[in-house]
């Protein structure tokens, strides 16, 4: 089964953003962005939601859902933003990892035919298993008897 990483997971960022505005951005360590969305949510509540709706919500009575629409819209856009930011960060991390893997593949030194570990091409033996490269047989098995004969 494939292992799922929770690091910069877009779905987790969106879920956390749904629970509380800005929480998905805090998970992504985007502090200023989280504060910005929290401020936008507060501003939408103060400017566009009637005070009677806020007192009705705090007392637990039924309210007109359209009166909370500005707050819901800001929260929804914040969730979408957290998802997109996490998705972009994950893609850039994957691209950096694949670039690093390609760079290490290009920089790899030759491998010892006996043990398979990387060796320094300037020396005539493997410093891991001490197999001398001139002592290898033509089949390339890397097996050398104790006298050094092939």
């Amino acid at each position: 089964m494939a292992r799922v990483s929770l690091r910069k997971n877009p779905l987790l960022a969106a879920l956390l953003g749904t629970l509380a505005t800005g929480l998905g951005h805090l998970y992504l360590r985007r502090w200023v962005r989280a504060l910005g969305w929290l401020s936008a949510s507060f501003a939408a509540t103060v400017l566009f939601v009637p005070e009677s709706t806020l007192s009705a919500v705090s007392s637990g009575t039924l309210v007109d859902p359209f009166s909370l629409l500005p707050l819901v819209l800001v929260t929804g856009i914040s969730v979408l933003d957290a998802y997109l930011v996490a998705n972009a960060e994950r893609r850039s991390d994957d691209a950096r990892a694949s670039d690093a893997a390609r760079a290490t593949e290009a920089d790899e030194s030759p491998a010892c035919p006996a043990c398979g570990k990387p060796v320094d091409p300037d020396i005539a033996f493997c410093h891991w298993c001490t197999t001398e490269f001139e002592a290898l047989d033509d089949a390339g098995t890397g097996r050398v008897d104790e006298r050094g004969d092939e």
Side-chain angles (χ1 to χ4, degrees):
M1 189 162 105
R3 188 171 181 201
V4 177
S5 172
L6 292 181
R7 185 172 174 88
K8 296 182 183 176
N9 188 334
L11 293 176
L12 184 58
L15 177 69
L16 290 172
T18 304
L19 294 175
T21 303
L23 192 58
H25 293 92
L26 288 176
Y27 160 71
L28 297 171
R29 296 178 185 229
R30 296 291 190 113
W31 315 117
V32 175
R33 207 170 190 129
L35 185 61
W37 280 112
L38 191 59
S39 300
S41 175
F42 181 74
T45 302
V46 170
L47 295 174
F48 300 112
V49 177
E51 193 172 320
S52 60
T53 303
L54 294 176
S55 61
V57 167
S58 65
S59 67
T61 60
L62 291 176
V63 296
D64 180 27
F66 289 111
S67 62
L68 292 174
L69 190 61
L71 182 61
V72 171
L73 285 175
V74 169
T75 302
I77 295 170
S78 169
V79 168
L80 179 65
D81 183 56
Y83 177 82
L84 294 175
V85 167
N87 206 8
E89 284 186 11
R90 183 172 261 191
R91 270 197 228 125
S92 68
D93 286 349
D94 290 345
R96 267 190 244 122
S98 66
D99 288 346
R102 270 189 249 121
T104 55
E105 287 174 5
D107 294 341
E108 279 188 18
S109 57
C112 173
C115 67
K117 293 187 179 179
V119 295
D120 185 5
D122 295 335
I123 57 176
F125 66 94
C126 174
H127 63 279
W128 298 102
C129 66
T130 66
T131 302
E132 293 185 23
F133 296 137
E134 290 82 25
L136 293 175
D137 59 352
D138 291 336
T141 60
R143 305 240 182 240
V144 179
D145 65 4
E146 293 180 17
R147 295 174 305 206
D149 295 337
E150 295 184 70

